Amino acid sequence: MEGSNSREERRLAALESYNVLDTPREQDFDDIAQLASTICGTPIAVVNLIGDGRQFFKAEVGLGVRETPLDSSFCARAILEHDVMVVPDATKDPRFNCNPLVTGEPHIRFYAGALLKSDDGFPIGTVCALGHEPQELSQAQISALKALSRQVMSQLELRRTLHSASYDLALERRLSAQRKIRATKVGAQNEKLLLDDARSKAAHDAGGIGIFEVDIETDQMIVSDEFCRIFGVPEQPNYTAQVFQNLIIDADRKVASETTTRGSATAQLNVEYRVRRGNDQRVRWVARRAQFVEDQNGKPVKMIGVVIDITDSKRKDARIAALLTLGDRLRVGKTVEDISRITSEILAEGLGVSRSGYASVNIATDSLFIEFNWLAPGATSIAGHQPLNEFKATIKRLEIGDTLAVPNINAASWLDDDAAAYAAMGVRSFVKVPIIDRGALVGILFAHDSRPRFWSKLELDFAWGVADRAYAAIARLNAESEQRVLNQELSHRLKNTLSIVQAIAAQTLRNVTEKDAVAAFNGRLHALSSAHDVLLQQSWSTARLREVIGRVMHLHAGDGKVVMSGPEVPLGPKAGLSLSLLLHELGTNAIKYGALSTEAGLVDISWHVSDDSEKPILTLRWEEKGGPPANEPERRGFGSRLIRMGIAGTGDVEKNFTPKGLIATFRAPLSLVMELGE
């Protein structure tokens, strides 16, 4: 029994023999597709050819694309049937009820396909009709559909016969010419090139490969039809080289060939560059591979080669790189508009669309606001407020979490109510990814194109990746905003609490004769308040050492009385509060007995972090200058105990009472100083 792989290879060979894949549209086949649509009463009909992993539409009505993947194809199942396959309602057919074309866009419900069979009985495709509503076909309609499939095969057989006869005649003429000019080396080489061209033209066209030949002396070119299609110019065999040079993007012209480099044979042979197609002005990436042909004297006379459109491959690489860097770019965004701008640019670059952007949705006010939209040349901006009621069908799908990928708005009947609004914006196809928060639609990441196009799974995966990162970035902004509100409320409540404590203390201690003790208590409350202010400004996580010192010392000395020097060091909450109280005590003593008690005195506070050990140590030095000699106190109170505890309670303190003033050195492990605590 013949193996399935062998049979599939013979089926693909039969299809290849007709040389029809990737050929332009033709009226004869378009008429057949239109007849199939009319006979079956469906909005969609195609003349479909099943290739290796894909399906190509030689003709189509109501679809707007020429090719789709095979994994979701109805027709791939149809070629397993005998003659015709009819699916009245795909949602009730276990073969198709999970098909993405049924469960999602374009919501196919009805399908009928008649097989296209080669002369040796291999199924190569179908003539099929598809609809958005369930329906049945009469026997007369089925017979008519089968008759149309036979007409398609008659056309293909006739084309193959004519092509074969033409090829044989051309080959005979070339062989005759070869015999006449074989006497010269140049003639033989030219003839070989012509023969190679004849044998490989069909394969090149099918593979999307354009062929060219440049006469170096005249700058005239002979080009294939596929070459013309790649550059977006009318299909004709002869052009001047300048026509195609003018289509190359200015920044890339240095790598392409031109008259001088072709004449000297110094032009790069293997290059990649961008072109702006002549017919639709779209930018495409082209890979060009070439070689020089020399005469008997070694002089270059021709440059021949091939070009391939590599835009899809380039975009795939760009998408991967874009997703890798998107997170870093989003982290610097400070507003929703920043996030919208970054994601719009990345999405447009990855999909190659005419417009992309982000819209905030407010269902309660029945409006959406487009924060920012990236625009291709010629596209119009839609930034700002847009009425939600003009897109009811779209919003209805997005609200339930569906990602929408519409290849042709005009062919999507469920979008009829929204079609006018999209037409006004110049949109023919789109991708929209919903941003859902707590079950509600809050945003839409969108990509618009001015032409119908099929959206591949890779493109949708990329759009999802961008949307996920945009959602995370916007959620971060919202969380930071909520945190700021909470911090402000906490700061307000803390200040009220400290005020109450001070009022209670003043009332309780009003009859205390030791006014210095009361003043010290109030000063310590002020020091705690200053430290809390710094921490609240930093979201109650970390403060900066320089800022804590500055806030506390500002309560004790004016400008110029305190000198600070040292690197930026983050402080955890515990270390920040501890250091504030410690500096308050030192500052209070300096005002009473030390450098800050005189006009000329000042305090020099410096710090550094040792990096010569596995556990870095923060060292902070307090040095009083220009004041009276420092004397060790005879009586030790609570303030002295606070100083002896050191930074964060480490107790690593060294005090020197010198004739020039007090010098105190505090040390603590950097890890303990930066500890956030529980």
Side-chain angles (χ1 to χ4, degrees):
M1 182 177 178
E2 185 179 31
S4 59
N5 288 341
S6 175
R7 180 171 177 78
E8 176 63 9
E9 290 173 0
R10 292 177 62 189
R11 189 190 72 79
L12 292 173
L15 172 60
E16 184 68 25
S17 70
Y18 293 103
N19 192 28
V20 67
L21 288 178
D22 299 308
T23 55
R25 300 185 72 133
E26 297 178 53
Q27 189 63 48
D28 291 342
F29 293 100
D30 286 346
D31 290 344
I32 291 174
Q34 186 61 58
L35 279 172
S37 174
T38 302
I39 290 169
C40 296
T42 59
I44 303 172
V46 296
V47 176
N48 179 38
L49 298 163
I50 307 298
D52 186 6
R54 64 175 182 139
Q55 53 182 351
F56 170 72
F57 304 147
K58 178 61 180 172
E60 57 82 21
V61 173
L63 201 56
V65 295
R66 298 290 308 281
E67 181 175 331
T68 60
L70 197 58
D71 54 6
S72 60
S73 170
F74 277 69
C75 297
R77 172 79 66 172
I79 66 173
L80 302 177
E81 306 294 330
H82 292 296
D83 291 304
V84 65
M85 182 176 77
V86 178
V87 181
D89 187 347
T91 62
K92 298 178 180 179
D93 192 317
R95 297 172 297 176
F96 303 107
N97 56 10
C98 294
N99 190 297
L101 299 180
V102 176
T103 59
E105 289 300 325
H107 296 282
I108 297 298
R109 294 294 179 268
F110 170 75
Y111 171 89
L115 283 183
L116 300 177
K117 286 188 178 181
S118 66
D119 55 359
D120 47 2
F122 286 103
I124 62 171
T126 62
V127 175
C128 58
L130 303 96
H132 304 299
E133 302 295 337
Q135 69 180 79
E136 297 281 356
L137 289 186
S138 68
Q139 190 58 46
Q141 287 174 308
I142 294 174
S143 298
L145 194 63
K146 293 167 66 176
L148 290 178
S149 70
R150 291 194 295 271
Q151 286 301 313
V152 170
M153 289 310 304
S154 296
Q155 289 283 346
L156 293 179
E157 294 289 353
L158 179 60
R159 287 159 52 98
R160 183 169 65 174
T161 301
L162 291 175
H163 178 77
S164 178
S166 175
Y167 178 83
D168 291 343
L169 179 59
L171 184 60
E172 177 57 35
R173 287 175 178 172
R174 293 188 184 98
L175 290 173
S176 176
Q178 182 185 26
R179 288 190 292 269
K180 293 178 182 179
I181 64 175
R182 189 168 290 169
T184 65
K185 177 182 177 181
V186 174
Q189 191 170 24
N190 287 343
E191 183 62 24
K192 180 178 182 299
L193 292 173
L194 291 173
L195 288 172
D196 288 345
D197 177 70
R199 283 194 294 266
S200 62
K201 183 180 184 303
H204 286 161
D205 286 348
I209 301 173
I211 309 170
F212 71 91
E213 176 184 310
V214 186
D215 187 301
I216 292 177
E217 183 176 355
T218 65
D219 250 8
Q220 293 294 310
M221 294 183 68
I222 300 173
V223 295
S224 68
D225 290 348
E226 184 63 23
F227 188 96
C228 296
R229 287 192 286 270
I230 289 173
F231 281 83
V233 300
E235 295 174 11
Q236 61 186 52
N238 301 106
Y239 277 96
T240 61
Q242 192 63 42
V243 170
F244 301 103
Q245 288 173 204
N246 291 339
L247 296 176
I248 299 173
I249 299 295
D250 291 343
D252 293 352
R253 289 189 179 180
K254 60 182 178 294
V255 303
S257 70
E258 46 91 24
T259 303
T260 303
T261 56
R262 287 192 294 269
S264 61
T266 58
Q268 298 182 57
L269 298 180
N270 300 329
V271 295
E272 296 177 358
Y273 51 78
R274 291 165 295 169
V275 301
R276 191 176 297 281
R277 287 163 49 91
N279 55 358
D280 57 16
Q281 298 301 297
R282 298 252 177 148
V283 175
R284 307 292 292 180
W285 273 96
V286 171
R288 192 254 291 146
R289 307 290 181 261
Q291 66 182 48
F292 287 103
V293 177
E294 300 175 344
D295 63 13
Q296 63 269 30
N297 298 318
K299 177 184 177 181
V301 293
K302 292 184 180 181
M303 182 182 187
I304 63 171
V306 297
V307 294
I308 306 172
D309 187 328
I310 59 171
T311 307
D312 290 342
S313 175
K314 283 286 187 181
R315 285 179 178 165
K316 179 180 178 181
D317 294 342
R319 289 175 200 136
I320 295 173
L323 288 177
L324 291 175
T325 60
L326 179 57
D328 293 334
R329 291 187 60 186
L330 289 176
R331 272 192 287 273
V332 303
K334 301 299 183 183
T335 64
V336 174
E337 184 178 356
D338 290 341
I339 303 302
S340 301
R341 175 179 51 79
I342 294 168
T343 54
S344 298
E345 292 172 356
I346 292 293
L347 188 64
E349 179 183 348
L351 297 184
V353 294
S354 55
R355 182 193 296 118
S356 65
Y358 176 80
S360 299
V361 179
N362 190 329
I363 300 296
T365 61
D366 199 31
S367 66
L368 58 83
F369 181 74
I370 297 175
E371 309 279 352
F372 176 87
N373 59 161
W374 180 94
L375 303 171
T380 56
S381 175
I382 58 173
H385 288 280
Q386 297 288 339
L388 206 61
N389 59 6
E390 293 186 357
F391 304 95
K392 289 183 178 178
T394 304
I395 296 300
K396 183 178 180 181
R397 293 283 182 89
L398 292 171
E399 281 183 316
I400 61 177
D402 282 353
T403 293
L404 306 182
V406 177
N408 187 351
I409 291 173
N410 295 341
S413 58
W414 65 273
L415 273 175
D416 287 347
D417 292 340
D418 300 357
Y422 284 120
M425 295 190 299
V427 182
R428 291 291 304 279
S429 59
F430 65 72
V431 169
K432 294 182 186 288
V433 184
I435 307 297
I436 305 294
D437 185 26
R438 300 166 193 171
L441 177 66
V442 297
I444 305 168
L445 185 68
F446 64 85
H448 292 166
D449 211 337
S450 57
R451 302 181 61 187
R453 61 180 283 181
F454 175 79
W455 304 98
S456 68
K457 185 178 184 303
L458 289 176
E459 289 173 325
L460 294 180
D461 287 343
F462 174 72
W464 289 326
V466 174
D468 287 344
R469 287 159 176 80
Y471 174 75
I474 293 172
R476 171 180 59 81
L477 292 181
N478 292 337
E480 290 174 352
S481 176
E482 292 177 0
Q483 185 64 53
R484 284 192 295 271
V485 173
L486 289 174
N487 284 345
Q488 291 172 359
E489 180 65 20
L490 180 60
S491 176
H492 176 70
R493 291 177 182 272
L494 180 62
K495 287 182 180 295
N496 287 343
T497 300
L498 289 174
S499 297
I500 292 172
V501 170
Q502 286 177 310
I504 293 173
Q507 181 69 22
T508 304
L509 302 176
R510 67 181 183 277
N511 296 322
V512 175
T513 57
E514 295 183 11
K515 299 301 180 182
D516 288 346
V518 176
F521 179 72
N522 284 326
R524 288 161 187 159
L525 287 179
H526 282 298
L528 283 173
S529 178
S530 296
H532 279 85
D533 283 343
V534 174
L535 287 168
L536 285 168
Q537 289 178 359
Q538 304 297 325
S539 300
W540 202 259
S541 55
T542 59
R544 297 291 175 182
L545 176 59
R546 181 183 297 274
E547 190 172 0
V548 170
I549 295 173
R551 284 292 187 98
V552 175
M553 295 309 298
H554 179 71
L555 301 173
H556 299 82
D559 295 339
K561 301 288 284 182
V562 178
V563 178
M564 296 184 293
S565 61
E568 285 290 345
V569 177
L571 297 178
K574 179 180 178 181
L577 296 174
S578 167
L579 183 63
S580 296
L581 291 173
L582 185 153
L583 292 171
H584 168 71
E585 297 302 329
L586 289 171
T588 300
N589 291 339
I591 290 173
K592 289 181 177 180
Y593 318 111
L596 298 182
S597 66
T598 66
E599 288 292 330
L602 60 85
V603 176
D604 186 345
I605 304 175
S606 61
W607 64 92
H608 68 275
V609 177
S610 64
D611 56 2
D612 55 354
S613 67
E614 293 183 0
K615 296 182 178 181
I617 302 296
L618 170 67
T619 300
L620 185 143
R621 177 184 173 91
W622 171 287
E623 183 175 358
E624 299 182 20
K625 300 177 180 179
N631 298 309
E632 188 169 359
E634 297 178 358
R635 177 174 169 272
R636 300 181 184 278
F638 180 69
S640 297
R641 288 197 295 275
L642 279 177
I643 294 173
R644 288 200 305 274
M645 289 173 64
I647 301 174
T650 59
D652 191 342
V653 182
E654 179 183 329
K655 292 190 293 184
N656 293 312
F657 299 90
T658 72
K660 295 182 179 181
L662 172 66
I663 300 175
T665 304
F666 304 88
R667 300 180 183 85
L670 185 62
S671 59
L672 180 63
V673 169
M674 296 172 60
E675 189 176 76
L676 295 179
E678 297 182 0

